[in-house]
Amino acid sequence: MSLALAAAAVVNLVVGAIVGLCGVAGFLLPMFYVGSLSMGVAESLALSFAAFIVSGVLGSISYRKAGNLDIPFGIRLSVGSLAGALLGVKLNLIIPEAQVKVILYLVVLLSGISILLRKDKKSSSEPGGHEGAKKEKGLLGNLPLTLLLGFVTGIICSLSGAGGPVLVMPLLVVLGMPIRTAVGVALFNSIFIGIPAAVGYLTQCDIGAVLPFLAAALVSHGIGVFYGSRMAVKVNQTLLKRGVAVFSILLSIGKLTGIM
């Protein structure tokens, strides 16, 4: 128990630091709990989403201070996500645990691939700020589209254990939002996915058994995000994201094929 608790604290610290550095990697937490600690899906997702709330709050504050968080749009998106997250939890409890694990591994695999593909798109899309702003008004200014986007991504994230930014951020960029603003909005949005998901999954857990892991995860993840965000300007984020992506792809393939 003490060894597993220490491992959970270390992994949350490392993943939190990577989230603070580049905004992605939270989706690795449920993989760790399910794959390395052999926890049930409900316990794994409860602990993961609780950590996502912490990283969402700290990340939102940081991006807000930097002027890279569109709160009005984030609220509209998160209204849809809140409803979607509730439905995602219900679907997770209906689907057999073995199938949920496969969904989790597939989401991690696709997340890793999307990070690799998004690298090139990121560098080429930065200069088009004026054009991106126009596109944002046309597509992201549409309330029904925004609510639908939040609802669908909320379902997928809460069902599979994806943190939010790795799924929401690239979609916002495709729809025309500037990249840094998209990361800020995605982190803000992850709070509203994380709260109903964490509460929903915790109701399915033995609280006494999960509580020590929850405390260790929240504290260490928060410390990691805080210091990671402070070091972000000193680290090659492209290289870091590439490493996270390759690790995620190899890990998920190993789980899906039964090698690991």
Side-chain angles (χ1 to χ4, degrees):
M1 173 73 167
S2 57
L3 184 60
L5 198 59
V10 170
V11 170
N12 271 277
L13 182 69
V14 173
V15 171
I18 298 174
V19 171
L21 287 167
C22 63
V24 297
F27 58 89
L28 293 175
L29 284 178
M31 285 282 288
F32 163 72
Y33 289 122
V34 171
S36 299
L37 296 189
S38 300
M39 286 187 174
V41 169
E43 290 81 3
S44 301
L45 295 182
L47 292 171
S48 299
F49 279 110
F52 298 159
I53 297 170
V54 172
S55 57
V57 170
L58 295 178
S60 295
I61 294 172
S62 176
Y63 275 81
R64 176 62 174 171
K65 287 181 179 178
N68 293 317
L69 174 55
D70 183 346
I71 289 183
F73 175 80
I75 291 174
R76 295 195 298 272
L77 181 72
S78 298
V79 168
S81 295
L82 195 64
L86 290 169
L87 179 57
V89 172
K90 292 184 180 296
L91 290 174
N92 184 290
L93 299 176
I94 294 172
I95 301 172
E97 186 166 310
Q99 293 182 20
V100 173
K101 288 182 179 179
V102 172
I103 293 172
L104 169 61
Y105 301 148
L106 286 172
V107 168
V108 172
L109 175 62
L110 294 174
S111 298
I113 293 172
S114 75
I115 293 171
L116 286 179
L117 295 179
R118 195 166 63 241
K119 281 195 298 96
D120 297 329
K121 187 177 287 188
K122 178 177 179 178
S123 59
S124 62
S125 62
E126 292 252 69
H130 182 64
E131 184 180 348
K134 281 184 179 179
K135 195 174 180 185
E136 182 179 344
K137 284 183 181 179
L139 294 176
L140 296 178
N142 185 311
L143 180 59
L145 174 64
T146 302
L147 293 173
L148 179 61
L149 177 65
F151 182 71
V152 173
T153 54
I155 293 174
I156 296 171
C157 290
S158 65
L159 171 63
S160 66
V166 76
L167 176 64
V168 176
M169 190 266 278
L171 291 175
L172 294 178
V173 172
V174 168
L175 290 174
M177 181 173 284
I179 291 170
R180 285 190 172 83
T181 305
V183 175
V185 169
L187 284 167
F188 179 77
N189 179 244
S190 67
I191 301 170
F192 296 88
I193 295 174
I195 291 174
V199 172
Y201 290 122
L202 279 172
T203 60
Q204 308 299 317
C205 302
D206 178 351
I207 299 297
V210 170
L211 195 57
F213 287 94
L214 183 62
L218 294 182
V219 172
S220 58
H221 193 75
I223 293 172
V225 172
F226 177 76
Y227 283 103
S229 62
R230 291 170 67 95
M231 296 293 294
V233 295
K234 302 178 182 179
V235 174
N236 186 323
Q237 293 196 14
T238 300
L239 185 61
L240 181 63
K241 287 183 180 181
R242 185 180 300 171
V244 171
V246 172
F247 175 75
S248 305
I249 291 169
L250 293 177
L251 182 62
S252 55
I253 290 175
K255 291 294 184 182
L256 287 168
T257 58
I259 296 175
M260 296 182 181

